[in-house]
Amino acid sequence: MIKNSLIPVIPQEEKNKGSVEFQIFSFTNRIRRLTSHLELHRRDYLSQRGLRQILGKRQRLLAYLSKKNRVRYKELISQLDIREPKIR
């Protein structure tokens, strides 16, 4: 349900499932679904672990995209309404 409603955000030429933007987009959808699941089921520790893994993957992909193409990175961040990761 959520996945189908958010897919039109990505332009047609970027629906390539191997592209970094599509992967970040799909991870963001999974993160939002898991977050809503964990609001109801607070003690689901395996889902919490999976959420942390997906967050790490998305963070690595965002770092890669910011190094390769800063303009596309900024556009994607604004489209998906996510914050920039903290720099250590």
Side-chain angles (χ1 to χ4, degrees):
M1 221 166 31
I2 295 171
K3 191 174 189 180
N4 292 335
S5 66
L6 292 178
I7 284 189
V9 173
I10 292 185
Q12 283 292 80
E13 66 271 1
E14 292 180 0
K15 281 201 173 185
N16 178 9
K17 294 187 183 198
S19 70
V20 177
E21 288 90 352
F22 187 84
Q23 290 180 34
I24 292 172
F25 174 74
S26 63
F27 283 144
T28 303
N29 283 339
R30 287 176 63 190
I31 288 167
R32 289 183 179 148
R33 266 199 323 254
L34 274 174
T35 303
S36 65
H37 167 78
L38 287 171
E39 288 174 356
L40 296 173
H41 309 281
R42 295 186 188 276
R43 293 187 180 182
D44 190 354
Y45 300 117
L46 290 177
S47 292
Q48 287 178 10
R49 181 177 184 266
L51 177 63
R52 284 192 298 267
Q53 287 178 338
I54 294 170
L55 284 169
K57 287 180 186 178
R58 186 180 75 174
Q59 184 177 6
R60 286 191 297 273
L61 282 172
L62 284 169
Y64 170 79
L65 186 61
S66 70
K67 288 178 190 172
K68 291 293 180 182
N69 193 337
R70 192 70 175 173
V71 175
R72 283 175 33 198
Y73 169 77
K74 289 288 188 182
E75 288 175 3
L76 187 66
I77 292 273
S78 64
Q79 278 182 349
L80 296 178
D81 194 31
I82 54 179
R83 292 180 288 173
E84 284 194 46
K86 293 181 181 177
I87 299 173
R88 295 182 193 176

